[in-house]
Amino acid sequence: MSNLNLKKALLEFLFNGTICTVLIYYLQFHDWNKSLKFGLVFGLVMAILYTFILPKFKKK
């Protein structure tokens, strides 16, 4: 795993997690604790998906 993949994964995590956290807070829960937890999980899943899983399918 290269340094570029780690940077990409971190940026995907922060970007997706932040957007999801803010949207979930305003649209559903109006509770920062629930929104932050959901945003962290969503950001982690999206970072793994975009950085490690999708590139394997694009190569084929």
Side-chain angles (χ1 to χ4, degrees):
M1 181 168 27
S2 69
N3 195 16
L4 183 63
N5 277 350
L6 287 177
K7 283 183 182 179
K8 184 179 176 186
L10 181 64
L11 288 175
E12 287 288 342
F13 171 72
L14 292 174
F15 180 70
N16 288 306
T18 302
I19 289 174
C20 187
T21 299
V22 172
L23 286 177
I24 289 296
Y25 174 77
Y26 284 115
L27 296 177
Q28 188 174 2
F29 297 132
H30 298 286
D31 178 10
W32 280 114
N33 289 329
K34 287 182 185 177
S35 300
L36 286 172
K37 289 176 190 173
F38 189 80
L40 287 174
V41 171
F42 183 80
L44 184 63
V45 169
M46 287 294 114
I48 291 170
L49 180 73
Y50 283 127
T51 307
F52 302 111
I53 297 172
L54 285 181
K56 289 182 182 178
F57 288 113
K58 288 182 181 177
K59 288 180 183 175
K60 293 183 179 180

